[in-house]
Amino acid sequence: MIKNITALLGVLAAVASLSLADSAPEASAQDTKKMVQNNFVETAQKGIKLSGYVDAGYSYNFTGDADNSNVSGRFGSDTAQRGDFNLYAVKIALEKALTSENKAQAGFRTDVMIGEDASYFINRSAGELSNTDNNSNSLFLEQAYVSIRAPVGNGWDFKVGKFVSILGYEVMERPANMNTTFGLLFNVMPLYYTGVLSSYKFDDYLDAKLGVVNGSNSDNNTTTNPNAGDGVALLAALNVTAPGGNANWSNNFQYSTGNDNNTSVSSTDSSYSTTTFPSSATVGTGFGNVDVNANVSSYALIYNTWGNWAPKFANDKLLLAFNALLGNTSGTVNATASLAGSSLGSVSGPINSTWYGAGVYAKYQFNDWFSLCSRAEYLGSNNSAVTGNNGAATTPAGISGLGNEYATGESNWEYTITAGFNVIDNLLIRAEYRLDWGSSIIQQNNYGETTSGGPAHYAGAEVVYSF
């Protein structure tokens, strides 16, 4: 009985601990020398560790008075208008990691996040959530996978289940990133996958990953076309580490056989920007509502490269990094409209959307308790769509808007500077200023009817305690 009580108390005490997720990229999280690292409490069962953190802060956006004033390109909990106190996340991770031995073995990892960030990780779809929907009670299952090692060569590792994206320099844990707010490129990167991911380390300088998954941010399949078959996404990564370990270069690929399907919003693509087809039809007086049904059949291809370098001449005080992205979705759309069961017409044709961006980062550690980080990013896109016809003979007068799609694009920039303070053990305090500008950067409501190119200013502070 005493042993059982002791074990129970050990588990309860462990729940108070914290960690960063096994988030990609691993080198990014490590080399930023983040405050939250290598902290854990071991449970009563040997080898199983429980960890986590509490992340809270205050943000102020100078973006107008409208309740739904959003800054395009910013993460949801980073764009609340005027002043806002935030509980960004309470993070808890439970893990039995694989050992360094090259033998047959297994383990697992589970990551859970509670807080305002969780609301947007669950659903990043534009228009589905506004910045007034911050909810600190939201629960997000970030990862839950079984890890297996096959004693082949240097050891062939597998993850089976749900795991974080292999793409991108920034990760979902704010304290692991150089800056408090998430960058423009982070907001168009996939978040997580459900499937199988294998990894193999050839030597100290080269390692690779291959995976097959449902698609970005999807627990189901990767297609948004209800008439199409099941789809998958293929993942690949090649990482190079410089001799001495002070530099990394990562190349990451994703190919989706169908337009990615976000679990929470069904057919809405939330991993990156594509055009919705067709635009909402409008009806003259007395006709009622038009029902529009659009089937999109397309593929998606994403390439991401990032790297970091800690110059030896700077004695581990300076870290430089870059992050770049190129993505494309191409395919066809078939859309129909009806009124009270009667066909009004259809539109079909090719679609194409391309998005691209780059960012640079720098961090300087002045002493044991003070650091300064900066980030500059650009994100652009080209979205082209079809121009169809309304031409059903039964189309009543006064109905328009079926087809007549458009070609458009965006071009946005941001610069962020962040001061970090480590004045107490396990406590990180950060203050940040951010400036966004570009095409339609400020939207006064969810539908973008009132927009401007900025500038959009942000100021905020963050407090993180890890134990």
Side-chain angles (χ1 to χ4, degrees), residues 145-459:
Y145 62 82
V146 175
S147 52
I148 303 170
R149 175 167 296 160
V152 177
N154 296 328
W156 194 4
D157 293 347
F158 295 85
K159 293 179 182 179
V160 183
K162 182 178 181 179
F163 44 87
V164 295
S165 173
I166 66 171
L167 281 74
Y169 184 69
E170 295 185 18
V171 296
M172 283 188 273
E173 292 75 24
R174 290 179 186 263
N177 298 322
M178 288 195 191
N179 307 97
T180 298
T181 58
F182 294 107
L184 295 175
L185 270 61
F186 174 86
N187 284 325
V188 294
M189 295 285 188
L191 284 176
Y192 64 85
Y193 312 105
T194 302
V196 179
L197 180 68
S198 66
S199 59
Y200 187 84
K201 188 172 184 179
F202 295 94
D203 50 36
D204 292 337
Y205 313 112
L206 188 65
D207 64 270
K209 297 178 182 178
L210 288 173
V212 181
V213 298
N214 287 333
S216 305
N217 314 329
S218 178
D219 297 328
N220 302 306
N221 60 64
T222 189
T223 181
T224 59
N225 185 349
N227 299 321
D230 195 10
V232 297
L234 306 177
L235 309 175
L238 184 65
N239 306 300
V240 181
T241 302
N246 67 318
N248 302 87
W249 181 33
S250 180
N251 295 274
N252 308 285
F253 303 86
Q254 176 179 329
Y255 171 75
S256 298
T257 60
N259 208 13
D260 280 357
N261 174 22
N262 181 284
T263 293
S264 62
V265 293
S266 183
S267 62
T268 300
D269 173 6
S270 67
S271 299
Y272 36 77
S273 298
T274 58
T275 309
T276 303
F277 306 98
S279 56
S280 299
T282 58
V283 185
T285 304
F287 286 109
N289 295 325
V290 171
D291 296 321
V292 178
N293 181 35
N295 293 331
V296 179
S297 177
S298 65
Y299 71 86
L301 179 64
I302 308 174
Y303 169 65
N304 163 244
T305 180
W306 63 264
N308 52 28
W309 175 45
K312 292 186 176 180
F313 65 79
N315 298 320
D316 294 329
K317 292 182 177 295
L318 178 64
L319 177 66
L320 303 173
F322 74 91
N323 190 23
L325 167 76
L326 176 63
N328 177 260
T329 295
S330 296
T332 59
V333 59
N334 295 283
T336 60
S338 61
L339 176 63
S342 299
S343 176
L344 302 179
S346 63
V347 58
S348 63
I351 58 173
N352 186 71
S353 177
T354 302
W355 61 105
Y356 40 85
V360 291
Y361 304 76
K363 177 181 180 180
Y364 192 82
Q365 190 76 41
F366 289 88
N367 49 44
D368 292 339
W369 59 271
F370 177 68
S371 64
L372 200 60
C373 303
S374 66
R375 175 185 65 203
E377 290 182 296
Y378 167 78
L379 179 64
S381 67
N382 272 315
N383 301 319
S384 62
V386 299
T387 300
N389 69 80
N390 290 347
T394 57
T395 301
I399 296 181
S400 62
L402 178 62
N404 301 323
E405 297 302 331
Y406 55 92
T408 186
E410 291 190 358
S411 182
N412 294 325
W413 305 77
E414 69 91 4
Y415 176 75
T416 305
I417 186 167
T418 309
F421 305 88
N422 299 92
V423 294
I424 303 175
D425 289 345
N426 298 331
L427 181 69
L428 170 66
I429 300 174
R430 296 198 287 194
E432 182 165 295
Y433 168 77
R434 174 169 171 166
L435 175 65
D436 292 75
W437 69 99
S439 56
S440 303
I441 196 70
I442 300 176
Q443 298 183 352
Q444 294 301 123
N445 55 44
N446 290 336
Y447 307 101
E449 285 141 354
T450 304
T451 63
S452 73
H457 302 273
Y458 164 96

